[in-house]
Amino acid sequence: WSLMHLSLYLPGLLWPHTAATGQTPKLAATEALDNWLRFGNITTAPLSRSQLYAQCLSHPSLLVQCKQELGLPAHQAAFFCSPVLQRVDLHSMSISDGSNLGLSKREAVDICRDFNAFVADSGYKFLPYREYLWLVTCPSEPTWFLPPVCDIEGQLKTVPRPQSDDAKVSAQLQTLQAELQMLLAQHPVNQQRKTTYQAEINGVWFWRDLPSETPCSADIPLLTDAPLLQGSARQQTDAPYDWATAQAWLAETGSHEQAHLWLNTLEAPSMFADMWGYQDAFAELHTRFLAPIDAALQKGELKSLTLITDGATGLRGHAHKRSRLAFWKRGGEGFAHYLQAASAE
């Protein structure tokens, strides 16, 4: 079994909270990453979560893909609506996307039905495209902008307001958001969730699209649990338990020049500043994936690897099998250096 090239996407790898908390995760094992970073070709540049997604999308636009799947005409004006959980504390607030809240299709259908009854005269219509991602069709092309839900998840100092040249449009959108929040507060779905100790859906986030200027080929197999990447590749499966499981699936589906592996393991602890959670998740990630992938690289089962992550400094590293002859080449910095650099931003 061999694979020419693996692109490994690790959202949240660079812990961003040291400046705020004064603490950096203590990681026991980082050899695999150290090897790739010391002996690979490394570039750093700021990269948002949506820009990371864009590198893995096989469509130029998630909105266009969604309209096609729902059988809507290409010219139909529409935008996205994500159900969210907002928590407000004394000093901060956080937003959690519906994909982390175990929302069922039935619940999504019920909420969208009641939203539609509420906005019946406005020309808006809510369609539950997926449990955690709804499409809103509207009479004319939106003239406002809000960032994609993946860019506002986690801890926030302030919540972005709609940007528009027309102040009236922004105000209308914020009013609708507030009205739907009030509707959700009393909604039977949330009453039911309370009785079963599930997190409530207490808000909605409107956003325009997730575009990709350089969509990748849909023929590259994709292994991921990432909600916004579902249905992106022709051969696709959920994120595997470990590298051996990934290899088995890739071997079963034929011979591949390259593959994309997107692992969300570090995303939530990184977003919500859970340092212990990050340390545990990293240790698990190293054992199940990073160390075995590094071993595959050394054995020649894997010819080359690209590691990609997001954040204020971002990180992209390209690694090959290391030459054992070049013993005089000490190489560059290990992972600890990049972790500190990201946290200093």
Side-chain angles (χ1 to χ4, degrees), residues 9-284:
Y9 296 85
L10 297 178
L13 174 66
L14 298 172
W15 173 261
H17 305 287
T18 299
T21 63
Q23 291 179 306
T24 308
K26 292 172 179 56
L27 306 173
T30 59
E31 294 91 337
L33 278 180
D34 292 339
N35 289 338
W36 305 339
L37 295 172
R38 284 194 177 120
F39 299 101
N41 298 323
I42 309 302
T43 51
T44 58
L47 197 69
S48 67
R49 184 68 40 87
S50 60
Q51 288 170 322
L52 187 69
Y53 268 112
Q55 298 188 21
C56 217
L57 285 175
S58 63
H59 298 266
S61 153
L62 188 64
L63 190 68
V64 170
Q65 177 196 347
C66 175
K67 286 198 281 193
Q68 282 171 351
E69 282 183 38
L70 289 171
L72 295 169
H75 62 264
Q76 172 64 59
F79 58 90
F80 284 120
C81 171
S82 291
V84 296
L85 167 66
Q86 295 184 17
R87 286 198 177 98
V88 183
D89 299 325
L90 202 56
H91 302 294
S92 72
M93 69 173 302
S94 69
I95 292 184
S96 196
D97 170 36
S99 59
N100 298 318
L101 304 173
L103 199 63
S104 70
K105 192 70 194 234
R106 176 77 260 156
E107 289 174 317
V109 167
D110 287 352
I111 293 172
C112 285
R113 182 197 60 224
D114 293 338
F115 278 8
N116 286 332
F118 180 76
V119 299
D121 306 330
S122 68
Y124 287 155
K125 187 170 184 202
F126 288 78
L127 305 170
Y129 168 57
R130 297 199 182 114
E131 299 89 328
Y132 48 81
L133 184 62
W134 309 338
L135 193 73
V136 188
T137 56
C138 48
S140 57
E141 209 51 53
T143 56
W144 50 267
F145 173 80
L146 276 169
V149 70
C150 55
D151 285 344
I152 56 109
E153 273 189 278
Q155 290 193 328
L156 300 169
K157 289 186 181 75
T158 57
V159 178
R161 294 181 181 281
Q163 292 171 358
S164 177
D165 294 336
D166 185 344
K168 195 170 146 205
V169 168
S170 298
Q172 280 172 339
L173 197 69
Q174 284 179 283
T175 302
L176 178 60
Q177 227 166 353
E179 287 171 342
L180 296 178
Q181 252 162 330
M182 284 158 71
L183 196 68
L184 283 168
Q186 307 301 323
H187 199 276
V189 161
N190 276 326
Q191 305 299 336
Q192 181 57 38
R193 288 178 82 85
K194 267 187 207 166
T195 62
T196 52
Y197 303 102
Q198 286 176 285
E200 288 176 62
I201 308 298
N202 65 1
V204 290
W205 185 258
F206 297 140
W207 52 288
R208 294 287 303 274
D209 195 6
L210 187 62
S212 178
E213 286 172 19
T214 52
C216 63
S217 163
D219 291 329
I220 301 171
L222 173 63
L223 302 93
T224 184
D225 288 337
L228 299 178
L229 291 176
Q230 296 311 307
S232 191
R234 288 193 181 90
Q235 289 182 313
Q236 188 162 341
T237 188
D238 290 341
Y241 173 77
D242 58 11
W243 177 240
T245 316
Q247 281 178 305
W249 181 78
L250 287 165
E252 261 171 44
T253 52
S255 64
H256 304 289
E257 282 291 298
Q258 54 175 317
H260 287 172
L261 174 59
W262 174 297
L263 299 171
N264 279 353
T265 329
L266 300 169
E267 189 180 33
S270 227
M271 281 193 308
F272 297 106
D274 172 8
M275 196 172 75
W276 304 108
Y278 180 97
Q279 288 171 181
D280 290 347
F282 186 92
E284 205 167 90

